Amino acid sequence: MDTTEIRLCGIGGQGLILGARVLAKALVSEGRKVAQSQSYEPTSRGELSRADLLVGDEAPDYPLATALDLALILDQAAAGACDGLLKPSAMVLADSEKVPAPPQGAFTTYSYPFAAAAAELGTTRAANMAALGALVALSGICAPESLIGAIGAIGSRSHLARNTDAVHAGLRMVRDASPVPDPAKPRPGS
Amino acid sequence: MSVQVRNLQGNEACALGAIAAGCRFYAGYPITPSSEIAERMAEALPKVGGAFVQMEDEIASIAAVLGAEVGGTKAMTATSGPGFSLKQEVLGFAAAAEIPCVVVNVMRGGPSTGMPTRPSQGDMMQARWGTHGDHPVIALAPASVSEVYTQTARAFNLSERFRIPAVVLYDEVIGHLQETVDLRESATLELAERKWARGSPATHLPYAETDDGVPVMSRPGDGHRDHMTGLTHGEDGFPTQNPEAVTRAMDRLLGKLERDRDAIDAVDMLACEDADIVVVACGIVARAARRAVRDLRAEGLAAGLFRPITLWPFPEQAFARAAEAAKIVLVAEMNAGQLRLEVERLCPPGARVVGLGRIDGTPIAPAEIRAKVQELTQDA
């Protein structure tokens, strides 16, 4: 049974858990089964926060992350949050400004200006959505349309247009960027 | 796709399962990590003609639940360790007066205030023996979000049918886990309703013996006399200390758990038939054990999983069959060895019982169980 393990991490307030809910909704709309868990304690307010998704065609036996295929890191405080859990084939997406020293290892790290792109749209609070756009574009875990549909279903009505713009910005970051470092590398979970 | 297929949190599934089972009253006092149950009930109950009350504390909450149940409304309260401790006195009253009720305990680290946001399975024995005196209680231990839904509903059915308090017991991980569930699978849920007194009010005895050992309940306003007390009582509901009457009453009370164990017992087993090592686990630990057992089987090791879904009364017969061929029974649990005590009591003589506990507020991972089984296999 193929399961893709995804961790979204950063600091409390960056919308990581909302991001996980949106991505989970998108995946379920495509018929996938998702198990989501997240940090749950007072330290997640302004400190390390994370949300994990396990995605497959069947519900996983064990629903918590043990070997990550994809990781999104939005703050330096979370740079160590995936230590020991990243597969060699994993893809790590980090915010180029907020995570000056992303984790190093056998996995592949990509840095993109999520926060800066969101700031251009009027608020850095949409950085999570830009990051999800890039994550979807890079991994192909779901269709971009599914992600945008999920934002419409879950996210705030008043922020729908800006969040959708942020997703598009994230998608463009990957599509317009130079080729993926190792095109032969298999997709996570494949 | 049907909106019935969606991501749902364990605690939300608990609330929805209760409503599906006919629960129309909730009284509670919020406590981490169970509070989402109260939140969801507060939102959902008014929409189905039910009522939600946030009480002044946990004791009042369960007392209000019993009041609703005596009035004929299925009712529930939810809490976590410290609140579960407070509820024990009234839980005992429910067992003695034979008032149906459902109490959910989402387990967090203990003892005392412990670790409010961290998971634990430290209340396994409390769920059985938390209140004083010999008493019947049923405890169900779901291990997934969809099972939280179905077992919460089942708790209502069992509690109504047997007039025994039912505890739904799961760890914080299961409570806050969100999984993709298909609620259509649960649409066929059959609902149990309690037996109401229908005979002549003149001759009605509220605790009279019946064919199945469960007395019929007097519906307020119907004219059937009743007397509910925590004092040991005879068939008329009034206190007695007559040894013969007490023995008869207590035998019937405790016997309710034994008369139809097929209806109460529920287990999940994986590859136990030829297993040399059977892992026993509940909740999130059972999910880890399931993964470990599959991995061990792939390595060629004869491992199996026995998961009691009904934790109390412990499904003795099913366990005896599961452990029949085993040389070792490994009990993995997020406490210092509570379930191990019960397994030791029931283990076939040919098998050795080993514990794998964790009390640091982190779940037991599949790799830990796998490594322990590998170690035990090498020693054997």
Side-chain angles (χ1 to χ4, degrees), chain A residues 1 5 21 24-25 28-38 40-42 59-64 66, chain B residues 1 5-7 32-33 36 117-118 172-173 176-180 284 287-288 290-291 294 363-366:
Chain A
M1 178 164 40
E5 300 194 7
R21 283 181 60 219
K25 178 95 179 166
V28 171
S29 77
E30 294 189 356
R32 311 297 300 280
K33 299 275 173 60
V34 178
Q36 182 191 333
S37 58
Q38 57 269 316
Y40 171 70
E41 47 198 29
D61 284 337
Y62 187 62
L64 305 183
T66 57
Chain B
M1 185 182 326
V5 180
R6 56 178 155 149
N7 283 340
T32 298
E36 296 85 2
T117 60
R118 295 296 171 97
E172 179 273 335
V173 178
H176 286 136
L177 182 66
Q178 293 176 58
E179 291 189 286
T180 311
I284 186 61
R287 300 287 293 267
R290 176 169 286 272
R291 163 91 171 267
R294 284 198 212 273
I364 297 176

